[in-house]
Amino acid sequence: MAKLSLLAGLVLPALVAADVQSLAGLDWTLTNANGSIAVPAKVPSQAHLDLFAAGVITEPLLGINDFAQRWIVNDNWTYTADLTPLTQSLSADARALLVFYGLDTIANITVAGHPVAWVNNQFQQYVYDVTDFVVAPVNNDTNVTVAFGSAYLYGLNVTSRPDAEFSPTGDFEYAGVRQWIRKTQSDFGWDWGPAFVPSGIFKPAFLVTLTPNATNTTGPTNPAPHPLLASGGGVFIEESSLEISKVGQTAISTPNQTADWLVNVTLGVRSLAASDAPTLTIDIPELNITSGALAIQGAVPVGTNVTTFVSAAFAIPEGVPARWFPHNLGTPQLYNFTITLALPTNVSSSNVSSPSPDVAAVGRGPEVSFTTRSGFRTIELVQTPYPDEEVAARGITPGDQWHFAVNGRAFYTLGTNIIPFDPFYARTTSAQVRWVLESAVRSGQNMLRVWGGGIYQPSDALTGGYDFYGACDELGLLAWSELIFSDALYPINDWLLPSVAREVRQNVRRVNRHPSNAQWAGGNEIEGIVLSVNASLANGTHYLDEFQTLFGDVLHDIVQEEETSVAYTDCSTTSGVLSLDPYEIRYNNKTPGYIYGNGERYNYDASQAFNYSTYPLSRFMNEFGFHSQPSFYSWEEVLTSADDFSFNSTVVASRDHHPPAGGLAFPNPNAPEGQGEMTRAVELWLPTPGTADANQTFAQWCWSTQVFQSLNMLAEIAFYRRGAGRGERNLGALVWQLNDVWQGASWSALEHSGRWKVLQYGLSGAFRPVVGYPFWTPDTETLEIVVSSDRWEPVDGLAQLTWYDWSGNELNSTKTAFSVPSLNNSEILLAHGLENILPQGTNATDVWLLLNLTAQVENKTVTHEQYFTPITLASANLVDPAIQVTAGPNLTFTLSALGGVAPFAWLDHPAGTVGFFADNTTGQPLNGFFLVPGIDRTVRFVPNVELSQVPEPGEFVVRSLWNNTNL
């Protein structure tokens, strides 16, 4: 088993034959281009982080540092360390491999004064045999040096080339360059985040030492916990892929659920030992299954400068392993797989499955073994047309299907979209990411879309810095994966495509083992952009042809060459396909009145927020949202002056990048538009904040934007879920977005620190298995209350509808039994005219309706609570609720309304804490509810002790809409 030294904080194997040494323990220095700055540095890290640690700059997220620190973007930054501590014991026959799992982005690498490589792709891993350089240093130079050039200036240089075509698409801050740079696209700015354009050795890096004829002690009985750590003796495992599918399955076929399972393993190796008859053995100890030694066609040559790929597969009978399911549909069952690669110099044919007939029997050779986790599932993206008989029998609008099926069964996809967790990848931790993912699970989400403008999310902390896909596997969260292309038209040229191809192959192979992976999309929102350009520019067909080449041909073929178990789509938002085999994108080849592909919605006219006629009739909604401000507590993290704590202060407004500046103007000249959209939304639908306390007014403004955001998103989710039983047959709703990259206006449900916004609590209700919603159409005074279910079995339950006035008096109450078919809905009330809807003798300004559902789902009681106000809350005659909070043991709090009803009663936990509030009886997330006099609610704060301190009860704050205008 390999030694991994100099990597603090991880429990790792002890030294055996070969060394896997982390570069993190070296003494690194960061310098700028002219040498005026030289500070200690770390690996992994990025220049901004090291400058901050050295006191050269303040925390980049403070104040207007996204503007004030632009000088860092325009400089070059060099990381240097003495390699001697890792190479001084290098034996004469050893080979030293320098392994980088991520370099951001444009860099020259030198070792011991020798040039090693120039790199320009953040998404690749790089491996170099540097032995000959180490043993023959230039002028006694024993350093490893990674010199990063400014990505922005590089982009300007590239776009000045005569063969660099003009891009007709707009941009965010650093405009017109990102299409040419294989780097996180949002690093150059986005409408929800800053543009720091960071650089650095942002992922872990290692020196792997291989020694010929050394004995490696890893094997099936003592495997390494990771492929990297299995590297030993004379073998380095550079890449690994484990893919589980059904026998005969392809990425475009419907899997045969009765077929056997096929386990396919591919390893990319560099070896000091040659083998004419290598073998792979695949063991699943929990199932007492072994493949035996599987012969690999072809040989493994001696070579540390070239990667050799070896593959083997074997079948497992259907029914033997339990299946992996999303957490809300079953158990996300995972198994340990032990993979053993043997490289015998010659091998006995009696010991190998299907051996080559001319293999002779002599020597054993090196053997390496490691364990990895995976699960058995099929996931299909169904895109074929609805059959005519189904259209006729079920009233489905004709067109194509567009939904996912897991283990052969269609299901309703509920979830959100993921963006980068921080502007600086290197400081993201597994604990932070795990909190975001667990928050998704707690709110009932079963899928996260990994947005194509960010980064390929990692599989583990050892090589990726933090764990994403492994946590998704464990938690039962599907991950819609995307290649990193977003909101731009990308050029086609000879020097960019090979880099993209290697990037895509590496990441698809890596992600293959994760049962959470649901599909690969070519990028984000580009199909719609290119269709618009094609229709509006005289040479638009040129850009459409380039899009077809890249996303319809090149990327499609690469992905399907590397995997067979998940679908590829050209774009996140797409019109679907004319054909899967051959792959033909539909584009605008549509029949009027038919429904194709999927959809998205962004409408910033708040007067239309609840106008259902503006909601798309779509098979699947992959993004929709409205922006809000972070809480007062998040603003405290970054605002540096008391004068900044105002909704439209210069600093607060400068961090609103919607609509984007489109260039480097600061503050964003378009921010007033985005600020105005949130302002008008609050003024239309909620009491306008304004009190004698400036800080309270600011806090209520921020919180009120969140209340509106939640109300808007819950209406859309309910509409799309209702669509499961209507002509559109909608089977998916992914809200934009889950997490936040910084403290500023955005579409997120979680703030940068992990604090839950109002929307996150709203999602925990809207994504429950059985939900009710009051669809109100004011133009016709029509109220339709619908119960929707995402269960595979019919659901029976009881709905209680209770009218109250704002003083808390119960006016009347009715109960209605309901039954909902599988993946469908049922109407429990349809009424017209306020005179027939409101309690007799009441006015719309004085009353509201409480809807409570109770149902039995899989032998468990499921509840849901929803509210209906016949007019905007801005016009409701609210009554002082006089909320009393009584603290109990274990951070429990009982809220009592001693006056009137408190709409959106809300508890805030103090600054510096991370956690959520849960109903003390059911354990379900609960906050932002209607608190009724005489009906106390007890909630418990559940802190994340890994990310924050445990607060004192006296530090909590309560508010409601009443506090928008009252202290």
Side-chain angles (χ1 to χ4, degrees), residues 59-66 629-656 695 698-699 702 742-745:
E59 160 60 51
L61 296 187
L62 280 179
I64 60 170
N65 277 349
D66 59 316
Q629 294 282 15
S631 68
F632 188 91
Y633 299 96
S634 283
W635 284 119
E636 283 185 309
E637 297 168 5
V638 296
L639 298 183
T640 59
S641 169
D643 294 338
D644 295 336
F645 287 82
S646 174
F647 192 80
N648 288 307
S649 72
T650 299
V651 179
V652 168
S654 78
R655 297 169 78 97
D656 187 341
N695 276 349
F698 177 53
C702 294
W742 75 333
Q743 303 89 338

Side-chain angles (χ1 to χ4, degrees), residues 90 93-99 116 126-133 207-212 231-238 268-274 300-308 343 502:
L90 197 66
D93 59 351
R95 306 301 296 181
L97 303 182
L98 187 61
V99 182
V116 175
Y126 298 100
V127 180
Y128 305 104
D129 185 336
V130 296
T131 313
D132 296 340
F133 305 144
L207 190 74
V208 177
T209 305
L210 303 182
T211 306
S231 301
V235 181
F236 169 58
I237 301 179
E238 181 176 349
V269 300
R270 302 189 185 206
S271 178
L272 294 182
V300 172
V302 173
T304 53
N305 285 310
V306 179
T307 309
T308 299
L343 300 176
R502 188 168 187 265

Side-chain angles (χ1 to χ4, degrees), residues 276-279 293-298 344 346-361:
D276 292 331
T279 66
L294 301 170
I296 298 167
Q297 296 302 313
N346 287 295
V347 64
S348 169
S349 61
S350 63
N351 294 327
V352 179
S353 303
S354 304
S356 176
D358 57 350
V359 171

Side-chain angles (χ1 to χ4, degrees), residues 547-884:
F547 176 89
Q548 174 60 39
T549 298
L550 182 58
F551 297 97
D553 300 329
V554 174
L555 296 177
H556 167 271
D557 293 351
I558 291 172
V559 170
Q560 295 209 339
E561 287 168 7
E562 298 296 340
E563 59 87 10
T564 62
S565 61
V566 300
Y568 169 89
T569 54
D570 69 294
C571 187
S572 59
T573 306
T574 177
S575 296
V577 296
L578 287 168
S579 167
L580 288 170
D581 188 16
Y583 184 70
E584 294 182 44
I585 304 168
R586 179 172 293 280
Y587 295 120
N588 283 329
N589 297 296
K590 301 176 183 179
T591 300
Y594 282 43
I595 297 177
Y596 302 101
N598 57 16
E600 59 181 65
R601 179 187 186 268
Y602 294 99
N603 188 329
Y604 300 110
D605 179 356
S607 70
Q608 301 302 304
F610 308 103
N611 182 349
Y612 311 124
S613 68
T614 68
Y615 296 179
L617 298 177
S618 176
R619 305 290 193 211
F620 193 107
M621 291 294 289
N622 63 286
E623 56 176 285
F624 53 98
F626 199 97
H627 47 315
S628 69
Q629 294 282 15
S631 68
F632 188 91
Y633 299 96
S634 283
W635 284 119
E636 283 185 309
E637 297 168 5
V638 296
L639 298 183
T640 59
S641 169
D643 294 338
D644 295 336
F645 287 82
S646 174
F647 192 80
N648 288 307
S649 72
T650 299
V651 179
V652 168
S654 78
R655 297 169 78 97
D656 187 341
H657 291 190
H658 165 74
L664 295 177
F666 183 89
N668 175 15
N670 298 318
E673 183 177 340
Q675 294 288 99
E677 289 165 354
M678 290 184 287
T679 299
R680 287 188 292 274
V682 171
E683 291 173 343
L684 275 171
W685 299 104
L686 302 170
T688 300
T691 71
D693 186 304
N695 276 349
Q696 177 179 319
T697 298
F698 177 53
Q700 292 296 129
W701 262 113
C702 294
W703 177 72
S704 293
T705 66
Q706 295 186 17
V707 172
F708 170 79
Q709 177 194 34
S710 182
L711 286 169
N712 188 187
M713 292 305 96
L714 267 55
E716 289 200 49
I717 293 167
F719 180 87
Y720 304 135
R721 290 192 67 172
R722 183 179 68 169
R726 298 204 168 193
E728 60 266 33
R729 187 57 172 164
N730 181 293
L731 289 177
L734 303 181
V735 174
W736 185 270
Q737 67 202 61
L738 178 57
N739 61 310
D740 224 338
V741 74
W742 75 333
Q743 303 89 338
S746 84
W747 290 251
S748 72
L750 299 175
E751 299 180 18
H752 180 253
S753 66
R755 180 182 293 267
W756 286 27
K757 286 184 174 180
V758 178
L759 174 58
Q760 179 65 11
Y761 287 100
L763 295 179
S764 70
F767 285 163
R768 291 190 185 179
V770 183
V771 295
Y773 192 82
F775 292 92
W776 170 242
T777 306
D779 291 346
T780 59
E781 293 190 351
T782 300
L783 177 63
E784 180 191 25
I785 299 181
V786 172
V787 178
S788 298
S789 170
D790 68 1
R791 297 296 87 189
W792 281 330
E793 304 298 331
V795 171
D796 295 324
L798 186 68
Q800 181 170 358
L801 281 62
T802 306
W803 283 97
Y804 291 93
D805 63 22
W806 289 112
S807 294
N809 299 306
E810 181 179 324
L811 304 178
N812 65 46
S813 184
T814 59
K815 293 183 179 180
T816 302
F818 61 82
S819 181
V820 185
S822 169
L823 282 177
N824 215 307
N825 55 71
S826 293
E827 180 183 276
I828 62 171
L829 176 70
L830 180 63
H832 304 279
L834 281 175
E835 69 278 7
N836 300 313
I837 297 172
L838 303 181
Q840 188 173 4
T842 62
N843 296 316
T845 56
D846 298 325
V847 295
W848 62 282
L849 176 67
L850 172 64
L851 168 62
N852 280 307
L853 298 185
T854 303
Q856 294 298 311
V857 174
E858 297 163 359
N859 298 319
K860 296 180 181 178
T861 299
V862 173
T863 62
H864 183 241
E865 183 173 295
Q866 188 54 264
Y867 320 104
F868 166 63
T869 58
I871 60 163
T872 166
L873 284 166
S875 302
N877 291 327
L878 302 183
V879 176
D880 183 357
I883 300 176
Q884 175 181 285

Side-chain angles (χ1 to χ4, degrees), residues 327-359:
H327 70 94
N328 70 327
L329 297 173
T331 300
Q333 177 67 52
L334 295 172
Y335 294 98
N336 290 314
F337 290 73
T338 300
I339 313 299
T340 303
L341 171 66
L343 300 176
T345 52
N346 287 295
V347 64
S348 169
S349 61
S350 63
N351 294 327
V352 179
S353 303
S354 304
S356 176
D358 57 350
V359 171

